[in-house]
Amino acid sequence: MNRKWTVALTSAAVTALALAGCSSDLPDTGSGGTSTTSGAKDAKKSEFFDQAEYERQLKFRSAKGVDLDGENAQFKPWQQALDPKLVDTAKFAKPGGGYHLCFSNASVDNPWRQVGFKTMQEEVKLHPEITKFSVLDAEAKDDKQISDIQSFASQGCSALIVSPNTTATLTPAVEAACKTGVPVIVFDRGVKTNCPVTFIHPIGGFAFGADGAEFLKEKVPSGGKVLALRILPGVDVLEQRWAAANEIFAGSGLKIVGVEFTDGDAAKTKSIVNDYIQREGKIDGVWMDAGATAVAAVEAFQDAGSALPAIVGEDQQDFLRMWAKEKLTAVAPTYPTYQWRTPVIAALRILNGKQVPQEWVLPQPKVTQDTLQNYIKEDMPPLHYAMCGCDQMPGYPAPWK
Amino acid sequence: MTWKPRLADGTAPVLVVLVVLLVALAFAGPAYSEPAGYLALLKRAAPLVILAIGQYFVVVSGGFDLSVGSLVTAEVVIAARLISGDDGNTWWVIAVLLGFGVLVGLVNGLITTKLLVPSFIVTLGMLLVLDGAVFLWTGGAPRGALSPSFRVFGRGAVDVPVLGAVPWSVLILLAVLVGAVLFMRGGTGRTLIAVGDNENAVRLAGGRVHRLRLLAFVLSGVLAALAAILLAGFAGVSAQVGQGLEFRAITAVVLGGVLLGGGRGSVVAAAAGALSLEALFSLLNLVGVSGALESAVQGVIIIAAVAYAAHGAGLRRAFKRRAAPALP
């Protein structure tokens, strides 16, 4: 093989390597990240820490949800709103049914979004007054979502639901959609404008991160070693999770032996945890900003023959089952997938001229030892999210399998 | 005649790098003062080393196999779906997985040799096809589950006298490595290298160039399947498991001094390259270097190793010429 070819092939390989680096930049974590980029942050005080918002979210955790119709909706958290400020929607009223609901979805490229989207589709089926449900999948591309939203403008939508791919880039597109006079409902990730009729989301990242950190503070004796595993930097809800945990760990007497990014990759998680077990001898607690790799982390302890730590997971079936089977000391904060039901409910309220909260904050429960058994569904796939609010729906469980 | 260790040209540097890294590990982490630490490292590295051996066959014969990463992902997703948690399904599914690896290798090889599309393009296409197919089939979230008996190969260990518990993956890796070394020392292996060096010469000498190329791709496919079985066993189901593995395997091969473009390099060096890469990542982790550096380090290695390969040999030759004045 001559020199010229070698050089050509090598440069091609290097270019490809660089490209691969780019494409794996932001494996969407699903847990509702608005991906604003930021520089690397250290473990001190996060630039994402916002004292007022932090306190607001922690307070929300004990707030009682209000059912807008005054029904007893204790078991329907997707219909509840925390501390709602209602807005008038009379100008959008279009009673009589025959609605065409349009939905611009950021993507369905991870289990969280899949479970959510199926739940949303089943919710639509519950309402015969919705005669048409159009969905465009942006495949995690901002530019595609912008054109998706534009194309809905000419399709005669009664209401437009948007789950934005990223915050800043999608803001003008949502503003343009608001100007067409169609009621716009944003959920999951936000946009930087108040023009949508309502913005629906669970409490938020600070509350999620705090739920896990407080649990470890309670279960791990003072001086115990805690390993923090994060998926990736720069996604604001994930940054908020760590910022809250960092705040709580700061005065706790716990020793944070490491803060590592796993890319959400099980093999990498196992390697990292294994290295830390070898380095520290014993790890007493594992904090995570998302539980997708919690099972891999526990397996690393099992394979190393170490005592299992107190661990923070999420409401995925594989983790819940392992929790019960191995009698883990665990907690599972959630970013509930039932929030995908709410935009449909909100759209119908708006079209009927009923008030909705301007910011519709949904309860964000956590799975604890006491409630664990309620959420384990042995016949569901391992990556199914238990907090889907779907198990009483007519089609359950077939669409989620 | 005195016995000389038969290390192929370019094997020594990577072995030096590997030893340096292993010694550094012993200083960085207390766990590496015992065999157990190194066994754990080997267990973790086994899938990548096996992938690198597969990649070596293709690279040394003058090609590239960029499809192995997405092939690994596809295999893991298929395994979870077909096994769906039932131990009874383990064995036939393993057979299906290996068969699928052979099939993908055959397609890559046939298109490269019969349709004369450069392997870089063929396997890049295969990468996209497999990625798309996996996404279409799973919608992004794999379904089903692996059985405990399937996961044994990636997680479990067997008791071996003296050494204690040796992970299955380490034993499988050793078997593959020994097989690969024997193959490369045989006639077919030598001709494979010759194909990478000068395809026309091999053809004129009566060698079946196409068949050898095809064989390299099939070996790469089947070893990728094997790596997928070990990886799935090690870490469980995930739709991202293979992401970037093709570049890691190529980095490992290059680090082992194997010439991109083919014709030079040993399989032992490629394996050592993969192990060095894994040891390096462990070391970075142990000394507290951010994971974000991994990609950067990989990039620097690939550039530095190729630069060394391009100039190192020339420098050595020049040195030899000066040291030993030429005979007339």
Side-chain angles (χ1 to χ4, degrees):
Chain A
M1 183 85 20
N2 63 34
R3 174 70 63 83
K4 208 164 69 189
W5 262 105
T6 314
V7 170
L9 286 171
T10 309
S11 51
V14 171
T15 313
L17 185 79
L19 287 175
C22 297
S23 66
S24 62
D25 233 14
L26 267 181
D28 185 3
T29 58
S31 303
T34 49
S35 43
T36 47
T37 48
S38 76
K41 56 166 288 300
D42 57 25
K44 303 292 172 243
K45 199 79 166 178
S46 167
E47 61 182 284
F48 289 89
F49 187 77
D50 172 346
Q51 187 73 34
E53 179 60 18
Y54 173 72
E55 281 166 14
R56 183 174 102 108
Q57 291 194 11
L58 293 204
K59 227 166 78 191
F60 267 140
R61 292 187 301 172
S62 51
K64 199 167 160 356
V66 178
D67 188 281
L68 300 178
D69 288 326
E71 291 171 27
N72 176 13
Q74 274 314 315
F75 298 101
K76 294 180 181 171
W78 53 90
Q79 292 188 12
Q80 297 178 19
L82 301 177
D83 191 19
K85 305 265 182 305
L86 297 177
V87 291
D88 200 44
T89 63
K91 64 173 170 171
F92 298 113
K94 210 170 110 187
Y99 301 130
H100 177 199
L101 223 52
C102 299
F103 175 37
S104 167
N105 193 4
S107 66
V108 278
D109 58 3
N110 63 53
W112 187 86
R113 302 195 71 85
Q114 285 192 340
V115 171
F117 183 49
K118 276 166 200 150
T119 309
M120 181 187 249
Q121 288 169 305
E122 294 303 305
E123 178 69 35
V124 167
K125 286 187 199 160
L126 293 178
H127 304 282
E129 62 270 38
I130 301 171
T131 47
K132 195 170 170 201
F133 182 47
S134 306
V135 183
L136 290 176
D137 178 359
E139 294 157 14
K141 296 184 192 89
D142 284 344
D143 49 349
K144 175 157 189 329
Q145 189 161 29
I146 290 168
S147 74
D148 285 352
I149 292 175
Q150 279 167 355
S151 79
F152 273 137
S154 59
Q155 292 185 25
C157 304
S158 311
L160 174 64
I161 299 169
V162 181
S163 174
N165 189 45
T166 60
T167 299
T169 318
L170 265 300
T171 298
V174 170
E175 276 173 340
C178 290
K179 289 201 184 107
T180 63
V182 170
V184 176
I185 297 148
V186 171
F187 84 103
D188 174 26
R189 308 167 187 174
V191 281
K192 287 189 176 130
T193 168
N194 285 328
C195 87
V197 186
T198 179
F199 169 35
I200 299 162
H201 64 90
I203 299 175
F206 288 123
F208 187 110
D211 276 347
E214 285 169 354
F215 174 80
L216 290 181
K217 197 171 143 186
E218 183 193 325
K219 296 291 178 186
V220 178
S222 185
K225 294 174 179 171
V226 172
L227 172 62
L229 296 177
R230 308 180 51 193
I231 289 190
L232 70 170
V235 178
D236 64 359
V237 289
L238 296 178
E239 290 288 353
Q240 286 180 355
R241 291 177 188 188
W242 170 239
N246 198 28
E247 185 74 7
I248 287 163
F249 287 139
S252 67
L254 296 179
K255 193 178 164 214
I256 308 302
V257 292
V259 185
E260 297 288 344
F261 293 107
T262 65
D263 299 341
D265 174 12
K268 196 170 171 193
T269 305
K270 252 183 126 164
S271 299
I272 290 172
V273 175
N274 196 346
D275 280 340
Y276 270 90
I277 294 171
Q278 290 180 351
R279 185 161 97 183
E280 302 292 335
K282 186 168 183 279
I283 304 280
D284 306 282
V286 174
W287 180 91
M288 289 196 162
D289 67 356
T293 54
V295 167
V298 176
E299 279 181 3
F301 284 87
Q302 289 176 328
D303 291 2
S306 302
L308 300 182
I311 186 164
V312 179
E314 216 177 326
D315 56 328
Q316 267 179 308
Q317 285 296 332
D318 57 351
F319 177 68
L320 299 181
R321 283 177 210 160
M322 179 177 241
W323 178 352
K325 189 162 154 263
E326 305 293 334
K327 301 198 168 36
L328 298 176
T329 305
V331 73
T334 67
Y335 199 69
T337 32
Y338 61 59
Q339 66 175 295
W340 289 68
R341 297 185 71 166
T342 315
V344 177
I345 295 168
L348 293 176
R349 287 187 67 89
I350 293 166
L351 291 171
N352 284 307
K354 293 185 192 166
Q355 291 184 317
V356 291
Q358 167 136 55
E359 187 184 5
W360 190 327
V361 183
L362 294 162
Q364 183 177 303
K366 60 186 175 193
V367 181
T368 62
Q369 186 64 46
D370 295 334
T371 56
L372 173 61
Q373 286 304 331
N374 305 342
Y375 293 104
I376 294 182
K377 304 273 185 268
E378 289 293 350
D379 56 337
M380 295 307 279
L383 301 183
H384 178 70
Y385 281 83
M387 204 63 78
C388 62
C390 60
D391 42 359
Q392 303 294 325
M393 298 182 97
Y396 185 85
W400 290 270
K401 277 198 168 176
Chain B
M1 188 173 154
T2 51
W3 182 82
K4 272 165 72 182
R6 292 204 304 164
L7 284 177
D9 191 21
T11 310
V14 68
L15 288 181
V16 171
V17 170
L18 180 59
V19 169
V20 168
L21 283 170
L22 292 181
V23 171
L25 271 179
F27 282 103
Y32 289 102
S33 53
E34 307 171 32
Y38 292 101
L39 274 182
L41 176 70
L42 262 184
K43 170 180 164 183
R44 237 153 59 190
L48 182 65
V49 178
I50 289 176
L51 268 183
I53 292 173
Q55 189 71 241
Y56 164 81
F57 291 130
V58 179
V59 170
V60 90
S61 66
F64 275 101
D65 191 348
L66 295 180
S67 66
V68 291
S70 52
L71 177 56
V72 165
T73 307
E75 296 271 11
V76 171
V77 170
I78 292 171
R81 188 73 170 266
L82 293 184
I83 292 177
S84 70
D86 185 354
D87 267 331
N89 292 335
T90 301
W91 291 104
W92 70 263
V93 170
I94 287 180
V96 168
L97 296 182
L98 293 174
F100 188 66
V102 171
L103 179 73
V104 170
L106 270 178
V107 173
N108 279 339
L110 284 175
I111 297 178
T112 307
T113 55
K114 301 291 175 200
L115 299 183
L116 301 178
V117 183
S119 64
F120 194 80
I121 303 301
V122 176
T123 54
L124 186 64
M126 181 60 83
L127 176 154
L128 295 172
V129 167
L130 287 174
D131 261 1
V134 165
F135 193 82
L136 204 66
W137 196 37
T138 63
R143 275 172 260 177
L146 301 169
S147 60
S149 59
F150 182 87
R151 297 205 54 189
V152 161
F153 299 107
R155 277 187 88 186
V158 270
D159 275 322
V160 173
V162 186
L163 283 173
V166 177
W168 270 110
S169 49
V170 174
L171 296 177
I172 293 171
L173 167 63
L174 279 179
V176 170
L177 187 61
V178 169
V181 167
L182 292 178
F183 172 76
M184 287 316 290
R185 297 209 165 167
T188 318
R190 286 173 190 279
T191 326
L192 194 65
I193 297 186
V195 168
D197 194 27
N198 190 338
E199 166 178 344
N200 288 330
V202 174
R203 192 173 290 124
L204 290 174
R208 295 169 184 271
V209 172
H210 283 187
R211 232 182 250 190
L212 285 165
R213 284 245 158 91
L214 191 60
L215 177 68
F217 278 105
V218 170
L219 285 173
S220 175
V222 80
L223 288 179
L226 192 58
I229 293 170
L230 295 186
L231 260 179
F234 177 63
V237 191
S238 145
Q240 286 99 35
V241 54
Q243 240 167 39
L245 273 184
E246 60 280 354
F247 293 109
R248 276 202 178 192
I250 291 176
T251 311
V253 167
V254 170
L255 182 59
V258 179
L259 197 63
L260 285 182
R264 191 163 67 80
S266 82
V267 66
V268 175
L275 193 54
S276 304
L277 206 55
E278 204 71 27
L280 178 69
F281 291 149
S282 273
L283 185 67
L284 288 179
N285 187 8
L286 277 174
V287 298
V289 177
S290 151
L293 262 181
E294 276 191 13
S295 289
V297 168
Q298 228 171 291
V300 170
I301 286 176
I302 217 168
I303 295 168
V306 173
Y308 176 80
H311 295 283
L315 289 177
R316 273 197 305 276
R317 261 197 305 278
F319 181 73
K320 269 183 198 154
R321 231 176 285 141
R322 213 174 309 142
L327 296 165

